[in-house]
């Protein structure tokens, strides 16, 4: 898989060993990793490509909590998982109150980190229509609900209105199977009489247009279509 098809994660921690362990294991899981040894450096590196931040709380200079708080005040809603050696209820509440999405105490299990990363990334897709200016994101696929434009790897993809409606329907309800009749009802609206077989034709065209993401639009024989979230 090429790097530009991977989910980008920014790891911010002042301990080199922690950064190295997280980078090695998350890269093995297929993620694209950037590293920062301080909040100050993270501020220079952080960009819209990053879909998640693993953020150490206790660092020299600007703390993880202060950095996260400033991010949220600036309108940056990138999901954050806090990493900290402190494991008290007050610290956890502080992390969540300033907009953290999860909180992992050190020392941690790599398997636990990977599971939490997957969970937060999946949750973020369902909330993205409320943040990031009405943009739905799945890895490098982005749907702008205001302009009705779909991007893959930063490049605009030309979809018909119906193809756009089908894609939004499936991604907003990832994991849920829709029968052809359901898709006709929700994606075609008042377009007159349309045969169920027409759904197959439109989805075939949609799959080709969205590249690798077409592989996640699955036909469950006898049931319908579902969008399975990539790892």
């Amino acid at each position: 898989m090429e790097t530009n098809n991977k989910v980008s994660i920014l790891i911010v921690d002042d301990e080199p060993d922690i950064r190295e362990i997280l980078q090695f294991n998350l890269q093995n899981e297929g993620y694209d990793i950037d590293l920062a040894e301080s909040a100050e450096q993270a501020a220079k590196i952080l960009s819209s490509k990053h879909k998640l931040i693993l953020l150490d709380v206790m660092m020299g200079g600007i703390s993880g909590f202060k950095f996260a708080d400033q991010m949220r005040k600036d309108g940056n809603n990138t999901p954050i998982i806090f990493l900290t050696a402190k494991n008290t209820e007050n610290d956890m509440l502080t992390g969540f109150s300033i907009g953290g999405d999860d909180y992992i105490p050190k020392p941690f299990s790599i398997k636990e980190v990977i599971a939490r990363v997957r969970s937060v990334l999946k949750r973020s897709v369902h909330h993205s229509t409320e943040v990031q200016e009405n943009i739905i994101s799945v890895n490098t696929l982005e749907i702008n609900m205001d302009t009705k434009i779909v991007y893959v790897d930063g490049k605009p993809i030309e979809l018909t209105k119906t193809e756009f409606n089908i894609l939004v329907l499936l991604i907003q309800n990832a994991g849920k199977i829709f029968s052809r009749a359901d898709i006709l009802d929700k994606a075609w609206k008042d377009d007159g009489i349309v045969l169920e077989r027409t759904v197959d034709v439109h989805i075939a065209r949609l799959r080709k247009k969205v590249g690798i993401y077409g592989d996640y639009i699955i036909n469950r024989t006898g049931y319908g279509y579902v969008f399975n979230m990539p790892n």
Side-chain angles (χ1 to χ4, degrees):
M1 184 183 296
E2 298 180 2
T3 300
N4 63 357
N5 288 330
K6 298 179 179 179
V7 175
S8 291
I9 298 174
L10 176 60
I11 297 172
V12 188
D13 198 298
D14 60 0
E15 297 181 59
D17 290 346
I18 296 293
R19 294 198 303 271
E20 184 178 339
I21 290 171
L22 289 172
Q23 180 182 29
F24 176 79
N25 285 279
L26 289 172
Q27 282 180 338
N28 282 346
E29 292 295 316
Y31 298 107
D32 182 35
I33 304 299
D34 288 323
L35 301 174
E37 61 183 18
S38 66
E40 290 85 347
Q41 185 181 17
K44 297 177 182 178
I45 296 175
L46 182 61
S47 71
S48 60
K49 77 169 185 176
H50 295 115
K51 304 306 179 186
L52 176 66
I53 303 172
L54 294 181
L55 180 60
D56 186 27
V57 170
M58 300 179 68
M59 296 183 288
I62 300 174
S63 73
F65 282 159
K66 186 173 182 180
F67 177 65
D69 187 45
Q70 188 59 54
M71 277 180 54
R72 296 303 188 236
K73 288 178 179 176
D74 291 340
N76 188 323
N77 291 294
T78 303
I80 297 171
I81 297 178
F82 286 113
L83 305 172
T84 180
K86 300 173 69 176
N87 186 20
T88 68
E89 184 176 358
N90 285 339
D91 289 315
M92 294 178 67
L93 291 175
T94 297
F96 289 124
S97 69
I98 60 178
D101 295 84
D102 209 338
Y103 188 100
I104 303 176
K106 299 177 182 178
F108 48 70
S109 156
I110 286 298
K111 288 184 178 180
E112 179 185 12
V113 172
I114 291 170
R116 299 285 189 94
V117 164
R118 289 175 176 169
S119 177
V120 170
L121 286 171
K122 286 185 178 181
R123 290 204 308 266
S124 70
V125 172
H126 299 292
H127 294 292
S128 58
T129 52
E130 300 173 1
V131 300
Q132 298 181 3
E133 300 177 348
N134 250 359
I135 292 177
I136 302 172
S137 298
V138 179
N139 296 2
T140 58
L141 182 149
E142 292 190 349
I143 304 173
N144 189 309
M145 297 298 292
D146 293 327
T147 63
K148 309 301 182 187
I149 297 176
V150 175
Y151 299 85
V152 174
D153 297 331
K155 299 177 182 179
I157 305 298
E158 291 189 12
L159 299 182
T160 65
K161 179 180 178 181
T162 299
E163 290 165 352
F164 180 89
N165 289 341
I166 292 172
L167 183 63
V168 171
L169 173 68
L170 294 177
I171 289 181
Q172 283 188 323
N173 299 276
K176 178 180 178 180
I177 298 174
F178 286 90
S179 68
R180 291 175 177 83
D182 290 334
I183 295 173
L184 283 174
D185 180 59
K186 298 178 185 299
W188 266 262
K189 307 292 183 183
D190 299 320
D191 288 353
I193 299 174
V194 183
L195 299 176
E196 289 191 1
R197 182 57 60 183
T198 305
V199 173
D200 299 327
V201 174
H202 280 74
I203 288 183
R205 291 173 180 168
L206 175 61
R207 281 171 168 161
K208 290 181 180 179
K209 292 182 179 182
V210 296
I212 63 167
Y213 297 99
D215 294 339
Y216 300 109
I217 300 175
I218 309 298
N219 179 6
R220 294 286 303 279
T221 305
Y223 296 97
Y225 289 94
V226 59
F227 185 87
N228 285 340
M229 291 294 295
N231 291 332

